[in-house]
Amino acid sequence: MVQNDSSSSFALFDATPQHYTQHDEELSHQLNDDSYPHSLTTLSTNPTDNSKLHATNDHADSRTDSHTSEHIATEKVLPTKTFSEDLTSSPRLVPPTQPSKAWRGIVGQYRIQRVLSKALLSNRIAHAYLFWGASGIGKDALALEFAKVLNCPHRFIVEDIIHACQTCPSCLQAQRLEHPNISLVFSLPAVNASGVADSASPLLKMSDEQIAVIREQMQKKAENPYHHIDIPGATQIRINAMRDIKRSLSLAQFTEGKRVIIITDADAMNPEAANTFLKTLEEPSQNAVFILTTSNKERVLPTILSRCQQLRCSTLAEEEITQGILERFNVEIDHARSIAQLADGSFAKALALIDEDTQSLHAEMMEWLRAILRRQTYQIATADCTQIFSEKKDRTFVEKLLTTLLFFLRTAYPIALRHRQNEIMTPTTDAERFAINFSHGHYEEALSHVEQAIRVLRVNANLHLLLLSVSLKLRSCFI
């Protein structure tokens, strides 16, 4: 189990309750000391530090800074209490300067945000949640942002969604995955370290190289909540991680807010870990919330499912992905739309496609389409293009090329229909220019040819012959 604090990229709860009892008096004096470091048992992030673990009996500052936000004349502030008194009283009406849409960094998933906000407003937060759905649609991102909202002392309301303020110390810690109340659990590689007890925390058994990989993955997750943590040799969540959870919940809490334990890819729990975790769920901690995420709900133990409030996360609409890309990257809208069309409803896949330079892929598709539709010498131009593509001997590339063409034609088709009705347009994109120039093309037939080519490609067809065949068929649809 990985837990984070403000002085490290991740931390372990491996101190015993007795360890803290011996320092209760010291902690009581230091509770309001800003200079006191905020950490539990941590893994050092200093690359020059050769020691794997160092124990500090620290805590997070629980005071609320009353000067972190200015009151705006038009803002209606609701009475507030401490977290322990009432979770429903701290959200306030949004001031005009605050964002007006979904949670920060989250693409789509508005229904889930409203469900969770309603639970928070009514003070009926479930003991355990299961976020499930397709890969890459934001389940982990939702879990991390909900954990941030639960621990923010300056929450505010936009319409029916509660937001974290994003600026207080709690939010900044959560953003860096360093909040002492928020734990992230994921698969770790199996190791057997000599001299280390079998019941010890998994990270105690890791090599320095493995620790470095985990640090790197945690940093990537902090920067991009859609990043999937991928550690070589990590295929299971094992029983020691579940023991860590139980041990951490038995320790005193020194920071206000909710303890949130996020278990990513919960279907990766092996039978021993799942049964141990089930016992923890059966004995709920009063101030803890479990959030499990999975793309394979059917692989999660049914008895665990029955104890979770299950929230299905939907695949994302192309418009949502396009908007998410435009908000994060300086790209043309055509490029963003092409990526969204290729992403199959997954924002994680869209981010990966940006790294693969889909703009170049779009340019190659347009060059091929222009060659097919030349008035003269189209045979030579088309043969040259298909030869270049087939010589790459990359079936994945050819499938992406055909898929890019498929979505391009789907985009152009409704524009062509409008142009046939003499609608006046000023084309600004490749799809709009194509639709106007070929408004009377047989789009439905062309789409059928491309879809058929993709199906044939997946059963090991000859690349060159396939591309030549679909080229001639497309030409017949538009010339």
Side-chain angles (χ1 to χ4, degrees), residues 141-213:
L142 280 168
L144 290 167
E145 190 64 21
F146 185 45
K148 184 195 295 181
V149 171
L150 286 173
N151 282 281
C152 177
H154 305 297
R155 298 187 294 262
F156 61 89
I157 304 171
V158 179
E159 296 178 355
D160 54 354
I161 296 178
I162 300 178
H163 293 249
C165 74
Q166 308 294 347
T167 58
C168 69
S170 175
C171 286
L172 295 177
Q173 283 182 314
Q175 188 67 33
R176 298 189 301 265
L177 300 186
E178 296 174 356
H179 200 292
N181 284 349
I182 302 172
S183 304
L184 192 61
V185 183
F186 47 84
S187 297
L188 292 172
V191 289
N192 287 312
S194 59
V196 180
D198 290 340
S199 60
S201 295
L203 291 181
L204 287 171
K205 306 176 183 181
M206 300 286 170
S207 66
D208 290 338
E209 291 77 11
Q210 289 172 317
I211 294 297
V213 170

Side-chain angles (χ1 to χ4, degrees), residues 398-404 406 447-459 466 470:
V398 173
E399 182 169 350
K400 287 180 179 178
L401 183 74
L402 289 169
T403 305
T404 302
L406 179 68
L447 288 167
S448 177
H449 289 322
V450 178
E451 290 170 349
Q452 176 65 18
I454 293 172
R455 287 193 294 269
V456 172
L457 175 67
R458 291 170 178 170
V459 292
L466 175 69
V470 74

Side-chain angles (χ1 to χ4, degrees), residues 112-131:
I112 303 297
Q113 295 173 49
R114 286 192 291 269
V115 168
L116 296 174
S117 296
K118 184 177 180 181
L120 182 53
L121 277 171
S122 61
N123 202 20
R124 298 179 64 181
I125 300 168
H127 167 57
Y129 291 95
L130 177 80
F131 296 171

Side-chain angles (χ1 to χ4, degrees), residues 1 5-6 21 32 45 97 148 163 186 191 268 307 379 461:
M1 172 174 132
D5 63 19
S6 60
T21 303
N32 293 314
T45 58
T97 57
K148 184 195 295 181
H163 293 249
F186 47 84
V191 289
R307 286 166 174 79
Q379 297 96 330

Side-chain angles (χ1 to χ4, degrees), residues 409-425 432-447 476-479:
L409 294 174
R410 284 179 180 171
T411 302
Y413 186 22
I415 300 171
L417 291 175
R418 285 157 43 202
H419 190 259
R420 291 176 193 176
Q421 303 300 320
N422 298 320
E423 181 176 331
I424 298 175
M425 312 180 177
E432 290 171 349
R433 285 186 284 269
F434 180 88
I436 291 172
N437 289 328
F438 297 95
S439 60
H440 292 284
H442 301 288
Y443 282 86
E444 291 184 4
E445 187 178 344
L447 288 167
S476 69
C477 292
F478 294 102
I479 300 297

Side-chain angles (χ1 to χ4, degrees), residues 56-349:
T56 55
N57 306 312
D58 311 345
H59 58 85
D61 187 354
S62 61
R63 295 178 299 166
T64 299
D65 185 355
S66 60
H67 305 290
T68 54
S69 60
E70 296 181 1
H71 291 291
I72 300 175
T74 58
E75 176 184 358
K76 182 177 180 180
V77 181
L78 303 179
T80 59
K81 302 178 184 179
T82 64
F83 281 91
S84 58
E85 289 177 312
D86 188 358
L87 281 168
T88 66
S89 59
S90 54
R92 64 188 193 283
L93 296 181
V94 60
T97 57
Q98 295 287 3
S100 59
K101 289 191 177 180
W103 283 344
R104 176 179 174 178
I106 306 298
V107 178
Q109 308 300 349
Y110 303 112
R111 182 183 65 85
I112 303 297
Q113 295 173 49
R114 286 192 291 269
V115 168
L116 296 174
S117 296
K118 184 177 180 181
L120 182 53
L121 277 171
S122 61
N123 202 20
R124 298 179 64 181
I125 300 168
H127 167 57
Y129 291 95
L130 177 80
F131 296 171
W132 67 280
S135 177
I137 59 176
K139 301 182 294 295
D140 287 358
L142 280 168
L144 290 167
E145 190 64 21
F146 185 45
K148 184 195 295 181
V149 171
L150 286 173
N151 282 281
C152 177
H154 305 297
R155 298 187 294 262
F156 61 89
I157 304 171
V158 179
E159 296 178 355
D160 54 354
I161 296 178
I162 300 178
H163 293 249
C165 74
Q166 308 294 347
T167 58
C168 69
S170 175
C171 286
L172 295 177
Q173 283 182 314
Q175 188 67 33
R176 298 189 301 265
L177 300 186
E178 296 174 356
H179 200 292
N181 284 349
I182 302 172
S183 304
L184 192 61
V185 183
F186 47 84
S187 297
L188 292 172
V191 289
N192 287 312
S194 59
V196 180
D198 290 340
S199 60
S201 295
L203 291 181
L204 287 171
K205 306 176 183 181
M206 300 286 170
S207 66
D208 290 338
E209 291 77 11
Q210 289 172 317
I211 294 297
V213 170
I214 295 172
R215 283 199 186 109
E216 179 185 11
Q217 290 294 309
M218 290 290 288
Q219 180 63 32
K220 288 181 178 180
K221 191 72 169 178
E223 294 171 355
N224 171 24
Y226 288 84
H227 171 72
H228 184 267
I229 293 176
D230 187 12
I231 301 169
T235 59
Q236 292 183 336
I237 297 175
R238 293 176 170 81
I239 190 170
N240 284 353
M242 300 300 108
R243 289 171 177 164
D244 272 352
I245 290 176
K246 189 171 184 178
R247 182 162 49 238
S248 70
L249 293 176
S250 70
L251 303 178
Q253 182 176 348
F254 297 108
T255 305
E256 285 189 344
K258 281 279 188 182
R259 282 181 168 171
V260 185
I261 297 92
I262 301 170
I263 304 177
T264 68
D265 295 327
D267 54 284
M269 285 188 283
N270 65 21
E272 294 80 10
N275 287 319
T276 300
F277 178 62
L278 179 60
K279 294 178 182 178
T280 303
L281 280 181
E282 290 171 342
E283 302 170 358
S285 176
Q286 185 177 3
N287 200 42
V289 176
F290 293 97
I291 305 176
L292 287 65
T293 70
T294 181
S295 300
N296 302 285
K297 188 181 77 165
E298 68 280 359
R299 298 181 186 175
V300 179
L301 203 65
T303 46
I304 290 178
L305 293 178
S306 66
R307 286 166 174 79
C308 297
Q309 181 176 333
Q310 300 177 35
L311 298 176
R312 181 181 180 275
C313 302
S314 304
T315 53
L316 302 174
E318 288 180 12
E319 295 79 7
E320 293 172 332
I321 295 177
T322 299
Q323 186 61 35
I325 293 170
L326 292 174
E327 289 173 354
R328 290 164 173 78
F329 301 96
N330 183 24
V331 298
E332 297 293 332
I333 188 169
D334 262 2
H335 185 200
R337 285 173 177 164
S338 296
I339 292 170
Q341 291 166 346
L342 290 167
D344 296 328
S346 166
F347 194 67
K349 186 174 180 180

